[in-house]
Amino acid sequence: MVVQNSADARDMRVGVQLEPFLHQVGGHLSVMKYDEHTVCKPLISREQSFYESLPLAMKQFTPQYKGTVTVHLWKDSTGHLSLVANPLKENREPFKVSTESAAVAIWQTLQQTTGSSGSARALAQWPHAQLARSPKESPAKALLRSKPQPNTPDSLLVEDTNRNQVEKKSFNPWGLQCHQAHLTRLCSEYPENKRHRFLLLENVVSQYTHPCVLDLKMGTRQHGDDASEEKKARHMQKCAQSTSACLGVRICGMQVYQTDKKHFLCKDKYYGRKLSVEGFRQALCQFLHNGTHLRRELLEPILRQLRALLSVIRSQSSYRFYSSSLLIIYDGQEAPERAPSSPHPQEAPQVAHGSSPGGLTKVDVRMIDFAHTTYKGSWNNHTTYDGPDPGYIFGLENLIRILQGIQEGE
């Protein structure tokens, strides 16, 4: 429901304002930030069923499932559209916009400068939000006085009182594009009083200062069992014309923090579809390169987790993870130098996701997007498969082989 900012709608103004998730690098459904440790996305019954019946062995490789929430549209007095979720009972409090939220400020600025109908075009011309501000000025205020600059550096410039640049931050445009498309769809396809259900999931990048994220579309087949003939043909063509066919994996998006320029280098799914096998290998190297050097210390912990995931997938009979993605995540903020007595990362014991005792490198490997996953006993499934997913295994094996080659200097 679009709720106007008026006295007769005060009873509706209780909730959590959902923010565009600025670290979404791939996918077409909008992922929203619910709180620091939780994101949410439109509920698809098959995906919910998957999370609710998730095999124990797979839990360490998927985001924690936190339930569902009801969401509605809300419009403030200036015409800004946003999505509002009914809060958890223990967190219920009057809804108010946070002026410190960079994500909200970016979105509101786009609506101010272009109007909601032109936001998609503005995003295409404005690959990253850019502005200069003083340390005392909030990101929101700086964004509200900024204008889209199509041919300027891809960063948020922060200046001290002497106008010296002291920090840069940047924002991946993909999540904002998905957010715009989602709001447009909600406004045009559903009645005003429509309530929408969203999944609540763990924010797997919340522990990272500068989260570097690689989104890999896994498997040799991307269409679900319920796909129409037209959709099936379209997805088969995408696979045949990309590394999905020959490697079982293709890049769906990425962001990697560049320490020399202090901003994120971002690539989208269209970049990933055009890559050759050698281009795919070079893109993996680029994902591990911070602008000054290759982060070789990341390779062993990433490979360790990929091998562990491969073992788990091989044990999951009847599962087919069609159109799912695999995220590889690490922090662009490098860990402090280890003391001489500290173990080498390759010799250190494996720790839980996102943790880094003793300054060891943090990495995460997580499976996401299960709207087309099928397995024996799954919701409304019409086809049952035997054995583990051969396409997913093929993709994981090739990914491991290529990363091993990079590690060995090939």
Side-chain angles (χ1 to χ4, degrees):
M1 175 182 288
V2 178
V3 181
Q4 299 291 342
N5 187 12
S6 59
D8 61 354
R10 283 174 186 166
D11 59 329
M12 300 298 296
R13 295 181 63 228
V14 177
V16 175
Q17 184 185 31
L18 303 180
E19 304 175 11
F21 183 54
L22 295 180
H23 298 297
Q24 179 179 358
V25 303
H28 66 277
L29 287 180
S30 179
V31 177
M32 309 293 292
K33 180 181 174 182
Y34 182 83
D35 60 33
E36 285 301 315
H37 303 289
T38 311
V39 298
C40 59
K41 61 184 292 191
L43 185 151
I44 296 174
S45 296
R46 181 171 289 186
E47 184 167 33
Q48 181 185 16
S49 297
F50 171 83
Y51 277 112
E52 290 179 342
S53 62
L54 187 66
L56 183 62
M58 293 187 64
K59 287 192 174 182
Q60 65 174 311
F61 295 109
T62 56
Q64 178 189 356
Y65 172 61
K66 299 186 177 185
T68 66
V69 69
T70 301
V71 172
H72 64 275
L73 281 166
W74 180 74
K75 181 184 289 185
D76 68 15
S77 58
T78 61
H80 294 145
L81 277 175
S82 59
L83 287 168
V84 176
N86 292 344
L88 300 175
K89 291 181 180 179
E90 59 270 26
N91 294 329
R92 184 172 291 275
E93 59 184 22
F95 163 62
K96 54 185 179 181
V97 176
S98 170
T99 57
E100 295 301 314
S101 169
V104 170
I106 291 170
W107 180 245
Q108 291 184 349
T109 301
L110 285 171
Q111 292 192 76
Q112 281 185 332
T113 57
T114 66
S116 59
S117 63
S119 295
R121 182 172 62 256
L123 283 166
Q125 297 173 341
W126 195 23
H128 296 75
Q130 174 184 306
L131 63 149
R133 67 179 177 92
S134 70
K136 293 183 179 180
E137 184 178 25
S138 73
K141 290 180 180 178
L143 277 160
L144 289 173
R145 63 173 171 77
S146 69
K147 300 291 183 182
Q149 301 290 334
N151 298 310
T152 47
D154 310 351
S155 58
L156 172 76
L157 309 181
V158 181
E159 299 173 347
D160 62 20
T161 54
N162 296 320
R163 308 296 292 176
N164 295 316
Q165 183 181 310
V166 294
E167 182 184 1
K168 288 185 181 180
K169 294 182 181 180
S170 62
F171 304 100
N172 193 311
W174 190 259
L176 295 176
Q177 294 183 40
C178 292
H179 182 57
Q180 162 64 16
H182 187 215
L183 280 184
T184 300
R185 188 164 58 251
L186 291 181
C187 291
S188 63
E189 296 182 8
Y190 296 97
E192 289 185 353
N193 62 348
K194 175 69 176 178
R195 298 289 180 164
H196 306 273
R197 298 293 293 175
F198 276 46
L199 292 176
L200 291 170
L201 299 169
E202 174 191 2
N203 177 3
V204 296
V205 306
S206 63
Q207 299 183 55
Y208 297 88
T209 304
H210 299 298
C212 299
V213 184
L214 178 65
D215 186 327
L216 298 168
K217 187 70 72 174
M218 300 299 297
T220 54
R221 169 179 158 177
Q222 299 304 324
H223 61 276
D225 289 332
D226 57 347
S228 65
E229 288 301 314
E230 185 273 333
K231 188 173 184 179
K232 178 179 177 181
R234 188 170 71 249
H235 281 286
M236 290 177 67
Q237 183 180 32
K238 289 177 185 177
C239 288
Q241 296 176 347
S242 69
T243 55
S244 291
C246 56
L247 295 178
V249 55
R250 74 171 183 260
I251 290 176
C252 197
M254 75 174 184
Q255 66 178 36
V256 53
Y257 189 67
Q258 305 293 279
T259 57
D260 56 338
K261 298 178 181 177
K262 299 190 184 303
H263 70 183
F264 285 105
L265 171 68
C266 303
K267 301 291 185 181
D268 61 23
K269 64 181 181 181
Y270 304 107
Y271 162 84
R273 288 178 190 171
K274 298 176 182 177
L275 295 175
S276 63
V277 172
E278 175 57 23
F280 180 83
R281 188 194 72 83
Q282 292 177 5
L284 291 182
C285 288
Q286 186 175 50
F287 174 66
L288 299 170
H289 201 286
N290 66 4
T292 62
H293 63 274
L294 187 68
R295 297 280 302 276
R296 290 190 174 276
E297 78 279 8
L298 298 167
L299 284 160
E300 185 57 34
I302 289 174
L303 283 165
R304 185 186 297 117
Q305 291 198 33
L306 288 175
R307 293 182 188 115
L309 174 61
L310 178 58
S311 177
V312 168
I313 297 299
R314 283 172 170 164
S315 69
Q316 302 306 313
S317 181
S318 84
Y319 277 82
R320 295 296 182 270
F321 303 100
Y322 298 138
S323 198
S324 70
S325 286
L326 184 67
L327 300 182
I328 299 178
I329 309 163
Y330 70 89
D331 204 329
Q333 179 74 45
E334 294 190 63
E337 290 290 332
R338 296 184 306 276
S341 59
S342 299
H344 190 279
Q346 296 184 20
E347 302 167 358
Q350 182 63 24
V351 295
H353 280 299
S355 59
S356 57
L360 299 181
T361 303
K362 296 191 297 183
V363 299
D364 260 323
V365 170
R366 302 289 186 107
M367 300 173 68
I368 61 168
D369 296 342
F370 303 104
H372 301 288
T373 293
T374 183
Y375 50 94
K376 186 176 181 180
S378 63
W379 178 83
N380 201 29
N381 74 307
H382 301 290
T383 306
T384 300
Y385 299 92
D386 294 323
D389 189 334
Y392 203 104
I393 290 172
F394 179 64
L396 268 181
E397 289 175 338
N398 281 317
L399 179 61
I400 290 169
R401 175 180 57 80
I402 293 170
L403 288 171
Q404 281 178 327
I406 295 172
Q407 185 183 41
E408 294 164 6
E410 295 178 3

